[in-house]
Amino acid sequence: MSDITARLAEVEARIRRAEAEYGRTPHSVRLLAVSKRQPIAALRAAYDAGQRDFGENYLQEAERKQAALPEANITWHLIGALQSNKTREAATRFHWIHTLDRSKIARRLAEQRPESLEPLNICLQVNISAEPQKAGCLPEAVHELADCVAQLPRLRLRGLMALPAPATDPVAQRRPFALLRELFDELRRSGFPLDTLSMGMSADLEAAIAEGANIVRVGTALFGPRPNHPPSQGTPQTQEEA
Ligand SMILES: *Cc1c(COP(=O)(O)O)cnc(C)c1O
C-alpha cells in the first residue's frame, strides 16, 4: 500500500502545478479521495499518508468503511446517486453530499439531519451538458433548487458539482467546467453565498482547476484501477458513476 503514499504525493503535485499554471491561490484546491470499491486497507494507507477527505458512492459500502475508520478528523463525502428511501443514512453518516439534484431529496435530508450534527454541506449536481439519462438537475432548474435548499434548515448550500462526459482533448475537457463555473458565478451574483465547485477527476483535474474547481474528486490516480466489486458483499444500491 506504500504505492498509495507515492501516488498521493503525485496527485498533490499535479494539483499544486495546476494551481500555479492557472493563477489559482496555492492550496486552494482540496483533494477528495474517491475510494469506492477500494479495500479498507487502501483508505487506511491514504489516511496514514495524511489524506482526510474521502468520497464514497454506495451507502452500504461507506458504512463498513466508516466503522473501520472511525477517526473524527475524516470528512466523508457522498458522491453517488441518492435515492429518496436512503436519505436517512446519508443525512446521518456524511459531512457532505455532492449529488443533490431534487427538492424532494433536499427536504428529506433537512428533516433527517440530526440536530446533534453540524448542518449538512450540499453541492447541487448539475447535468451541465444536458445529456440524456444523466443524473443532475438541468442548468435552467438550478436556481429554483438552490432557492429551495437555501431555505431549508440543517442544510448548508455550498456549491455545484458536475460529472461531464469524458473527453481527452484539454479544450473539450474545459468547456463543461467553464459552463458550471458560469452558473456558479450567476448564482453568487444573485446572492447565494456559494464557495465550492466540485469538478475534475483523475483524467481532467487540470482542466477543472483551470476553470475554478476547488474540490477535485480523484480515484484511479490515487488508488489504481478499481476492483469490479466492492471489497465484500453488498449490492450497490446507488447508481455507479457515469
Ligand atoms: C468514481 C468517481 C470519481 C473518480 O473517478 P476517477 O476517474 O477514478 O478519478 C469522481 N467523481 C465521481 C462522482 C465518481 O463516481
Side-chain angles (χ1 to χ4, degrees):
M1 289 300 164
S2 68
D3 312 1
I4 290 178
T5 308
R7 290 208 202 95
L8 178 61
E10 275 166 35
V11 172
E12 292 279 1
R14 280 176 66 188
I15 293 172
R16 304 286 90 90
R17 275 197 302 275
E19 286 172 343
E21 180 167 354
Y22 298 108
R24 302 286 311 277
T25 305
H27 296 274
S28 57
V29 179
R30 174 167 170 185
L31 170 61
L32 173 51
V34 174
S35 41
K36 62 172 175 248
R37 303 210 302 266
Q38 297 293 348
I40 284 161
L43 282 80
R44 171 59 61 192
Y47 179 85
D48 289 343
Q51 180 62 29
R52 293 294 179 265
D53 287 276
F54 291 90
E56 286 286 337
N57 292 57
Y58 313 110
L59 289 166
Q60 221 178 311
E61 187 184 334
E63 191 174 337
R64 280 201 320 278
K65 290 173 173 174
Q66 290 166 339
L69 286 103
E71 283 79 357
N73 60 359
I74 296 182
T75 301
W76 293 99
H77 302 248
L78 182 66
I79 61 168
L82 180 53
Q83 286 151 6
S84 56
N85 61 341
K86 300 290 180 190
T87 50
R88 187 173 299 279
E89 286 98 314
T92 315
R93 316 191 137 271
F94 288 86
H95 302 90
W96 285 74
I97 309 278
H98 289 238
T99 46
L100 186 73
D101 62 0
R102 275 168 286 163
S103 53
K104 178 184 173 192
I105 304 253
R107 284 191 295 269
R108 292 178 65 96
L109 290 171
E111 275 164 28
Q112 294 167 343
R113 178 67 168 177
E115 287 290 339
S116 58
L117 300 177
E118 294 285 296
L120 183 58
N121 295 293
I122 301 288
C123 287
L124 307 180
Q125 183 175 359
V126 184
N127 182 356
I128 194 66
S129 311
E131 297 169 71
Q133 319 291 329
K134 188 117 176 203
C137 96
L138 289 172
E140 57 268 30
V142 169
H143 209 291
E144 196 182 325
L145 183 58
D147 255 333
C148 164
V149 173
Q151 285 170 35
L152 288 167
R154 317 292 311 132
L155 303 185
R156 183 166 168 217
L157 181 60
R158 299 294 297 267
L160 303 179
M161 178 274 210
L163 187 59
T168 42
D169 153 43
V171 176
Q173 284 179 350
R174 282 179 68 161
R175 202 168 298 129
F177 296 142
L179 291 173
L180 194 73
R181 167 61 180 268
E182 282 167 26
L183 206 50
F184 174 85
D185 289 340
E186 253 173 63
L187 288 166
R188 280 173 54 94
R189 281 195 300 272
S190 343
F192 294 100
L194 306 184
D195 63 7
T196 303
L197 265 172
S198 166
M199 57 188 195
M201 316 197 289
S202 295
D204 55 13
L205 67 90
E206 285 84 1
I209 291 171
E211 296 296 348
N214 50 15
I215 295 186
V216 292
R217 308 177 311 263
V218 179
T220 315
L222 203 53
F223 295 113
R226 279 182 281 279
N228 280 325
H229 297 288
S232 87
Q233 280 77 302
T235 36
Q237 72 279 68
T238 58
Q239 94 184 8
E240 175 52 273
E241 76 279 14

